[in-house]
Amino acid sequence: MADVYRAIADPTRRQILDLLAGGAEMTLFEICTRLVASGTTSSRQAVSQHLAVLEESDLVRTTRVGRTKMHRMNTEPLREIAARWPLG
């Protein structure tokens, strides 16, 4: 669980998760482009490193389509946190 908390502690990583939250699959280029459009000034290498942290915590999963790596959000780690401390 600690990896999930560390992963979501960073605002850029939360922005990346917001981009992927709708179920869309995106390439690194698409993620970088959307982050720049929203005012984030992270380099492609920095975004790649953020994605690696998200992958390590299992919040992002990837698949290869030819030479392209597609990223998508995995909500299961967040569901486990919510189940641990149910509201109400």
Side-chain angles (χ1 to χ4, degrees), residues 3 5 11 16-17 24 27 32-33 36 39 51 64 70 74 87:
D3 292 337
Y5 297 119
I16 292 169
L17 290 174
T27 64
C32 289
T33 301
V36 167
L51 283 166
R64 288 222 176 254
M70 301 301 293
N74 176 31
L87 299 175

Side-chain angles (χ1 to χ4, degrees), residues 1 5 75-87:
M1 271 310 158
Y5 297 119
T75 59
E76 190 56 37
L78 297 174
R79 291 174 201 256
E80 290 174 15
I81 290 171
R84 184 174 178 182
W85 293 298
L87 299 175

Side-chain angles (χ1 to χ4, degrees), residues 25 27 62-72:
E25 288 189 330
T27 64
T62 61
T63 54
R64 288 222 176 254
V65 178
R67 293 176 47 180
T68 305
K69 192 174 183 183
M70 301 301 293
H71 302 84
R72 70 184 180 289

Side-chain angles (χ1 to χ4, degrees), residues 14-26:
R14 289 194 304 270
Q15 280 185 292
I16 292 169
L17 290 174
D18 286 342
L19 291 173
L20 298 173
E25 288 189 330
M26 293 185 196

Side-chain angles (χ1 to χ4, degrees), residues 1-18 50 53-54 57 59 78 81:
M1 271 310 158
D3 292 337
V4 174
Y5 297 119
R6 182 173 79 77
I8 62 175
D10 185 87
T12 302
R13 289 194 282 267
R14 289 194 304 270
Q15 280 185 292
I16 292 169
L17 290 174
D18 286 342
H50 284 304
V53 171
L54 292 169
S57 65
L59 287 166
L78 297 174
I81 290 171

